[in-house]
Amino acid sequence: MPDIKELHFDEVETGAAGTSPKVTMTSEMIMAYADLTGDHTPVHTDEEFARKSAFGQRVAHGLLGLSLADGLKTQADLRFVPGMSLGWEWDFKLPIAIGDELFCRFTVESKRETSKGGWGILRLASELVNQRGEVVQTGVHKLMIPTKSTAAA
């Protein structure tokens, strides 16, 4: 895979779009997330319980999906120099099942310079999509990244 340049705020165009590589949700990922966060809710960790649930099977934690979207975004074909996450507005649309193949796609919805200068804020309209093309999670990520002049200083 060729090197992908990480862009500064002043190099990013509104409307630019990125797509990440794919990752397959595994039972091990769900259990590791449960152990890391302490969230061992049975619909995520207990197959027998989950089969009797509305989902009919174990599903990933919603915040595991958001975490995957954030991580996948850093591997996409549109990348930004490291900055600061300012938050997420995020919705869970569909469950994520073991075996689902997921990727993240996003578009620079808007951008604005900060009042102090040297930094800019991007609004990235983002979707986590499964192998059937279904949007399982969606929302906006607010990301602050430096301008090229700030990085050079």
Side-chain angles (χ1 to χ4, degrees):
M1 180 175 190
D3 286 336
I4 298 173
K5 182 181 183 218
E6 292 180 333
L7 302 176
H8 294 86
F9 176 78
D10 37 348
E11 298 173 309
V12 178
E13 298 292 330
T14 301
T19 302
S20 79
K22 295 177 181 176
V23 65
T24 300
M25 180 59 65
T26 66
S27 175
E28 293 78 16
M29 292 165 72
I30 293 171
M31 295 309 291
Y33 186 86
D35 289 341
L36 178 67
T37 64
D39 181 352
H40 291 273
T41 303
V43 74
H44 306 303
T45 59
D46 182 328
E47 187 65 46
E48 185 177 330
F49 177 91
R51 270 197 302 273
K52 298 173 187 171
S53 75
F55 301 113
Q57 62 184 324
R58 286 175 52 213
V59 295
H61 303 72
L63 290 175
L64 174 53
L66 172 57
S67 296
L68 279 176
D70 192 39
L72 287 169
K73 190 171 52 59
T74 68
Q75 302 171 49
D77 53 7
L78 175 61
R79 297 183 192 171
F80 312 106
V81 295
M84 295 169 244
S85 179
L86 299 179
W88 291 83
E89 300 163 19
W90 203 245
D91 293 316
F92 308 130
K93 298 293 189 184
L94 295 170
I96 299 170
I98 295 168
D100 277 356
E101 190 175 61
L102 306 162
F103 70 95
C104 183
R105 63 183 175 212
F106 58 95
T107 303
V108 179
E109 178 180 271
S110 65
K111 59 183 273 189
R112 68 173 177 83
E113 291 187 42
T114 63
S115 57
K116 291 185 180 183
W119 291 83
I121 298 172
L122 304 176
R123 284 182 53 91
L124 305 174
S126 306
E127 297 177 322
L128 187 63
V129 182
N130 69 18
Q131 71 277 7
R132 291 178 295 282
E134 299 167 326
V135 175
V136 296
Q137 297 186 359
T138 185
V140 175
H141 182 204
K142 293 178 286 184
L143 182 64
M144 187 164 67
I145 60 173
T147 62
K148 200 165 192 170
S149 60
T150 301

